[in-house]
Amino acid sequence: MPTHKHLRRLLPATLLAASVLLTGCATGHEATEHAAQHTGSSSPSLHRDPADTQLPRGIAPPGTQQAVGDGAWSVTVQRLERLPAGTAADVPAGSSAYRARLTVTNRRPQIATAPQIAVTWRYGQLGRQATELAGAAAALTGDDPPLVRPNATVRQDVRLVLPDRAQGQPVTVTVEATPQGLAEPDLLFFESALPGRPAAATASQADGSSGSRQDVTPLGQWKAGVRLSSVSVTGTGSVRTARLELSVANGTGDPLPGLGTALRVMTGEDLHPAATIRPVYGYHDAAIAPHRTATQTIAFRVPQSAVGEPVTIEAVDADGSRVTFEGRIG
């Protein structure tokens, strides 16, 4: 059976739009323990000045060549560049399109297959995932990595959509690069501010809430490095679509292998089972950079009769630890 990381690598949430240039010239958490367990606080500090250029150890600015496979390869990501309005289709109102370039260089004196690469782009204090625009086949992030000449470089242009409110906020790029023949990826992280004027921080971004020491935590608050937002509902008919945000904070100096949190959703006072959402199968799961937060939007179905009723959600970590949240649906 495929491992968790194999599945995460094989099932990326979205496709990268690519424009490829080939050149031949040189050129469990202990990682499974969450932030609050390391900092002694049930509420991680999320307030970061977007203009702060001091990056934690393990995160590099764009343009830095980072080694993969004991130096056999190097990988870098260029800073996001805002595209003129109208350049890309399917950009919703209140958002803009951006372009960045992913570069992989073969540092060995022989032809070799490029590493298998998955890239995740997260923005803002909560680390929400950016939307990647679909387009041409991806050379570096597809299922069939290319052969690369000695000391040659493969480049892939990536187009993303980010909300305008994210301008000036940090964008953290997670690159999971797995050299041929190896089972586990090398984890690389890059970060810089999104071009534009910073917007005022929202309350949920400015602080992680006071946290709670009680057995049940209200939706919207942090507990043990985990936060679940309120639950929204859309649709009509007897079955509705419910959505919430799962946030996991990494308060350590090491990467976390992913959010790694399963959710058990129960509705009503009688705790009627409604849904179970697991990492990889239920949402995109990628490594979290040191001292950073990752947020994923999760959707599940509930009966119309559950709208407005109590909801209880257990967040179950990979090590079996549990946090119980309560609120209402809709």
Side-chain angles (χ1 to χ4, degrees), residues 124-145:
Q125 310 293 349
L126 288 177
R128 294 183 171 99
Q129 187 173 336
T131 300
E132 296 164 6
L133 290 172
L140 292 171
T141 55
D143 294 332
D144 189 18

Side-chain angles (χ1 to χ4, degrees), residues 10-104:
L10 294 173
L11 299 174
T14 53
L15 296 175
L16 295 177
S19 168
V20 183
L21 302 171
L22 295 178
T23 64
C25 58
T27 29
H29 292 52
E30 169 203 3
T32 0
E33 293 180 21
H34 288 312
Q37 296 168 316
H38 287 265
T39 63
S41 168
S42 60
S43 170
S45 174
L46 298 179
H47 184 62
R48 280 191 284 139
D49 181 355
D52 185 3
T53 57
Q54 289 295 112
L55 295 176
R57 183 177 180 181
I59 304 179
T64 304
Q65 296 282 344
Q66 297 200 58
V68 170
D70 295 326
W73 301 88
S74 64
V75 176
T76 190
V77 174
Q78 299 301 323
R79 187 183 301 270
L80 284 170
E81 171 191 351
R82 187 176 182 179
L83 297 175
T87 302
D90 301 324
V91 178
S95 297
S96 299
Y98 295 82
R99 179 178 58 204
R101 177 166 287 182
L102 173 66
T103 301
V104 174

Side-chain angles (χ1 to χ4, degrees), residues 207-218:
D207 68 45
S209 91
S210 60
S212 174
R213 296 184 180 275
Q214 59 193 17
D215 293 335
V216 177
T217 302

Side-chain angles (χ1 to χ4, degrees), residues 269-287:
E269 298 292 351
D270 58 350
L271 302 180
H272 178 75
T276 299
I277 302 101
R278 294 183 175 88
V280 179
Y281 299 98
Y283 62 87
H284 177 66
D285 200 14

Side-chain angles (χ1 to χ4, degrees), residues 279-305:
V280 179
Y281 299 98
Y283 62 87
H284 177 66
D285 200 14
I288 307 175
H291 302 291
R292 294 295 182 259
T293 297
T295 295
Q296 288 295 139
T297 298
I298 294 173
F300 54 95
R301 310 294 289 278
V302 295
Q304 187 275 334
S305 59

